[in-house]
């Protein structure tokens, strides 16, 4: 039995037909975790859908109304890049409920997973990039409303920048929080310097009650990247060593400036070298080291971690399932009482 909970429902399946997003991945991860003995049935808990009130903590009444009445414009549906249906709306409300539940469990158990979610391209007033509802933002706002947390940090390791996250939490920024150092020379990871690999770029901005970190491929969707508190713009083909050095650097820099009550880890599988929508060069082993790094840092500072899965478009879907399952294994290794 795991020392933490996995929030999951068969109804996480997204009814989007034949699509580059492997909507069946959630069921496959669930099966893999059980078949491999990593988890047993008692480790899983079922979510309830978020309430409309929860969703409205992040999204505009106009947008929610359009979703509930099926009145998105053709352009809005196109921008979402997944076909609208009432069933799809239900799946996203459920994913948001799952992230709320996982965040709640994380506060008690130090870590918890939503075996879904991570829809970081959803904005308050529209969806895009396969994302209708920003489940992570809904979870943060709900826990804040209930006074369970005051502050949160998002650590987004999907290959695509967390534009929705950045936009949602930008409005909460205040002038009282100092800017991070803008000196790239002090922020450059030594690994990149040693190998002479192309340098990524780290950009900083103010943070309010939610500090947002995004590590992503610079030359990829979204074209326009609204500023996160820290953005790490990685060059094409970044491999394991440089990626891990940048992540370490971003986490250290973020945690020097900000003390979160909850860390929301968006563990996208698409920085993988075999990804159809990504252009980074991480291996399956490198991605597991990434997960371990996030968990070790959180554990050392006693910050609860809520995990969501976001994207993953490996040529072989089994690789995506392996990468996501490995995130649970990494948490098990880092958070088991013996370690
Ligand atoms: Zn992605």
């Amino acid at each position: 039995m795991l020392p933490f909970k996995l929030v999951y429902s068969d109804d996480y399946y997204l009814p989007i037909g034949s699509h580059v997003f492997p909507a069946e991945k959630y069921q496959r991860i669930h099966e893999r975790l059980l078949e491999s003995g990593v988890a047993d049935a008692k480790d899983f808990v079922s979510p309830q859908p978020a309430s409309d009130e929860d969703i409205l903590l992040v999204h505009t009444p106009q947008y929610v109304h359009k979703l509930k009445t099926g009145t998105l414009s053709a352009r809005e549906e196109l921008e979402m890049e997944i076909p609208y249906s009432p069933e799809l709306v239900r799946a996203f409300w459920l994913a948001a409920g799952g992230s709320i539940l996982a965040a709640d469990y994380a506060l008690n158990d130090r870590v918890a997973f939503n075996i879904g979610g991570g829809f970081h391209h959803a904005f308050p007033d529209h969806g895009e990039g396969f994302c209708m509802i920003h489940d992570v933002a809904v979870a943060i706002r709900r826990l804040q409303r209930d006074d369970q947390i005051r502050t949160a940090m998002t650590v987004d390791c999907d290959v695509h920048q967390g534009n929705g996250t950045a936009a949602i939490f930008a409005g909460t920024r205040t002038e009282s929080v100092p800017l991070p150092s803008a000196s790239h020379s002090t922020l450059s990871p030594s690994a990149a310097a040693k190998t002479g690999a192309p340098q990524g770029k780290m950009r900083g901005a103010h943070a309010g009650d939610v500090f947002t970190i995004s590590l992503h491929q610079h030359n990829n969707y979204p074209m326009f990247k609204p500023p996160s508190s820290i953005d790490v713009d990685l060059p094409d083909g970044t491999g394991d060593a440089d990626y891990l050095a940048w992540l370490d650097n971003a986490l250290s820099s973020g945690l020097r400036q900000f003390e979160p009550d909850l860390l929301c880890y968006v563990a996208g599988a698409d920085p993988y070298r075999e990804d159809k929508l990504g252009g980074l060069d991480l291996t399956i082993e490198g991605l597991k080291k990434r997960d371990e790094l996030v968990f070790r840092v959180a554990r050392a500072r006693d910050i609860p971690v809520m995990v969501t899965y976001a994207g993953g478009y490996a040529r072989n879907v089994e690789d995506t399932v392996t990468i996501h399952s490995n995130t649970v294994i990494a948490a098990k290794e880092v958070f088991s009482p013996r370690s």
Side-chain angles (χ1 to χ4, degrees):
M1 190 156 168
L2 292 170
F4 50 83
K5 292 295 179 201
L6 308 171
V7 178
Y8 171 76
S9 166
D10 285 339
D11 296 330
Y12 280 174
Y13 176 79
L14 301 175
I16 53 179
S18 178
H19 196 281
V20 67
F21 190 98
E24 73 282 14
K25 78 173 181 179
Y26 309 118
Q27 276 159 289
R28 304 273 283 271
I29 297 162
H30 177 243
E31 281 165 16
R32 176 80 71 84
L33 291 170
L34 288 172
E35 282 164 7
S36 61
V38 171
D40 65 46
K42 287 199 278 304
D43 296 319
F44 291 91
V45 290
S46 297
Q48 294 295 316
S51 66
D52 292 355
E53 197 184 358
D54 296 331
I55 300 292
L56 288 164
L57 293 170
V58 170
H59 294 281
T60 64
Q62 295 82 354
Y63 179 50
V64 171
H65 179 76
K66 285 182 201 173
L67 292 174
K68 299 207 77 155
T69 53
T71 49
L72 290 174
S73 69
R75 191 179 158 277
E76 286 169 322
E77 195 177 338
L78 204 65
E79 196 173 17
M80 202 158 68
E81 296 188 84
I82 42 177
Y84 174 88
S85 68
E87 293 74 28
L88 189 64
V89 172
R90 279 201 284 280
F92 274 96
W93 255 245
L94 187 61
S99 287
I100 294 170
L101 186 60
D104 191 38
Y105 270 110
L107 297 184
N108 283 307
D109 300 339
R110 300 195 292 177
V111 62
F113 282 66
N114 187 5
I115 305 293
F119 297 113
H120 59 160
H121 301 311
F123 285 72
D125 62 351
H126 73 278
E128 59 176 77
F130 319 150
C131 301
M132 179 187 283
I133 290 294
H134 200 308
D135 57 291
V136 177
V138 169
I140 290 170
R141 289 304 189 217
R142 167 66 189 271
L143 266 59
Q144 286 179 326
R145 190 204 67 187
D146 293 351
D147 289 326
Q148 291 179 275
I149 60 169
R150 196 175 55 79
T151 59
M153 175 179 279
T154 60
V155 177
D156 190 336
C157 290
D158 190 275
V159 80
H160 304 103
Q161 195 238 9
N163 55 349
T165 320
I168 287 166
F169 295 116
T172 66
R173 287 182 191 145
T174 60
E175 297 302 318
S176 61
V177 178
L179 274 170
S181 164
S183 161
H184 288 156
S185 61
T186 57
L187 296 176
S188 289
S190 56
K194 261 186 243 146
T195 58
Q199 296 281 307
K201 243 194 263 157
M202 189 140 106
R203 295 181 274 119
H206 295 280
D209 62 353
V210 179
F211 194 99
T212 54
I213 296 177
S214 178
L215 263 83
H216 47 263
Q217 184 188 5
H218 179 63
N219 296 319
N220 204 328
Y221 167 88
M223 194 67 88
F224 173 67
K225 298 174 175 63
S228 312
S229 308
I230 294 177
D231 281 297
V232 181
D233 297 324
L234 297 166
D236 299 355
T238 298
D240 293 343
D242 288 342
Y243 187 97
L244 292 170
W246 278 111
L247 175 59
D248 194 17
N249 211 310
L251 287 169
S252 309
S253 177
L255 290 168
R256 265 200 305 275
Q257 302 169 55
F258 192 82
E259 285 183 30
D261 298 329
L262 175 70
L263 192 156
C264 298
Y265 177 35
V266 179
D270 48 12
Y272 179 43
R273 52 166 49 157
E274 293 290 326
D275 197 88
K276 288 184 280 189
L277 301 186
L280 299 185
D281 197 32
L282 273 73
T283 64
I284 289 179
E285 298 72 38
L287 286 158
K288 182 160 181 260
K289 289 206 178 84
R290 169 197 74 167
D291 299 335
E292 288 165 2
L293 176 57
V294 173
F295 293 138
R296 277 206 313 272
V297 166
R299 189 182 182 214
R301 292 169 185 259
D302 217 12
I303 304 164
V305 187
M306 186 270 271
V307 185
T308 55
Y309 276 152
Y313 315 92
R315 283 176 187 84
N316 179 352
V317 178
E318 286 308 303
D319 286 347
T320 298
V321 173
T322 299
I323 293 163
H324 286 317
S325 300
N326 280 348
T327 308
V328 177
I329 296 171
K332 188 179 188 176
E333 287 166 1
V334 173
F335 287 98
S336 60
R338 286 188 307 281
S339 66

